[in-house]
Amino acid sequence: KKGIPSSGLSLADTALQEAYHALIGYFREHKTLPSLASWGPELVALGKEYVHACIDYLEQIPTGKSLSHSDRLVVRLGFATLNEKRFLSPFHPLVMSYYLNLVEEIVQDGEARSFRQLPEVTKSRLNARGLIPHLFDKKNQYNYTQAVPENPFWLEIVPHQETSFDFVTNLVKHKIEE
């Protein structure tokens, strides 16, 4: 599936387009990716500008009416389809805002550096997965998100029908027997 051309954002909102281009420009200029960036003050400011532009745009969409072409473009920002799998990329506004908040918390932690002392299992759970617990689509009905192990900035959208919770029954039975 083809992505959304960034020129299409001009149909939506000039502020949003400028914020998006500035953010993408940062990554191009520094030849890096969100998962590899140092998340210094410049990137944090660009990320916040982008997220706030998205929020401002979404708040202006009237409720109870069909979405316009421009509205649909903005709502699809940050979604990607690769090899027939659907993802929320690091550029999805909710994912971006999660990591901006995490960076702010780490900076605020300052000299305590308590984030360095977190167990690896806890660090592996520091991702945006829980912010979007379920998504609905016509084909699979309910989907959920899971962090991609190789890069937790990406969230894979997994159809509910592909999941198996049989292990829960066995786990409960085992715990009762214990």
Side-chain angles (χ1 to χ4, degrees):
K1 219 173 184 182
K2 220 175 171 187
I4 302 167
S6 60
S7 61
L9 292 177
S10 62
L11 298 172
D13 184 67
T14 306
L16 178 55
Q17 181 184 17
E18 289 172 3
Y20 180 79
H21 280 283
L23 184 64
I24 297 300
Y26 176 91
F27 289 110
R28 284 186 178 145
E29 179 184 333
H30 292 85
K31 296 181 170 101
T32 190
L33 299 168
S35 58
L36 300 174
S38 63
W39 289 86
E42 182 183 0
L43 178 55
V44 168
L46 290 171
K48 282 183 178 181
E49 209 172 300
Y50 166 67
V51 170
H52 289 296
C54 289
I55 291 169
D56 291 344
Y57 184 87
L58 293 173
E59 286 178 339
Q60 293 175 5
I61 297 174
T63 55
K65 293 188 177 183
S66 297
L67 296 176
S68 69
H69 175 71
S70 297
D71 297 343
R72 278 186 249 125
L73 284 175
V74 172
V75 170
R76 290 184 5 217
L77 268 177
F79 282 91
T81 302
L82 306 165
N83 299 327
E84 297 184 28
K85 290 183 179 182
R86 295 182 330 157
F87 297 90
L88 293 174
S89 78
F91 297 101
H92 188 279
L94 198 55
V95 174
M96 180 68 64
S97 65
Y98 174 84
Y99 285 104
L100 288 168
N101 185 63
L102 184 60
V103 167
E104 286 179 339
E105 291 295 324
I106 291 170
V107 168
Q108 191 175 19
D109 191 40
E111 293 300 314
R113 298 182 184 251
S114 59
F115 278 88
R116 288 187 177 187
Q117 299 166 8
L118 291 174
E120 285 304 314
V121 68
T122 303
K123 288 179 187 175
S124 70
R125 292 181 180 155
L126 290 176
N127 61 63
R129 179 189 170 277
L131 297 178
I132 306 174
H134 298 285
L135 295 165
F136 183 82
D137 72 27
K138 291 178 186 176
K139 180 180 176 189
N140 299 305
Q141 300 227 344
Y142 288 98
N143 300 289
Y144 70 95
T145 58
Q146 66 182 16
V148 175
E150 298 83 17
N151 187 343
F153 275 67
W154 285 79
L155 299 176
E156 183 178 2
I157 299 170
V158 181
H160 186 69
Q161 67 189 26
E162 292 180 9
T163 62
S164 173
F165 295 106
D166 294 340
F167 73 94
V168 174
T169 306
N170 292 335
L171 178 65
V172 170
K173 182 181 174 187
H174 179 68
K175 292 297 178 186
I176 289 172
E177 288 172 355
E178 283 183 355

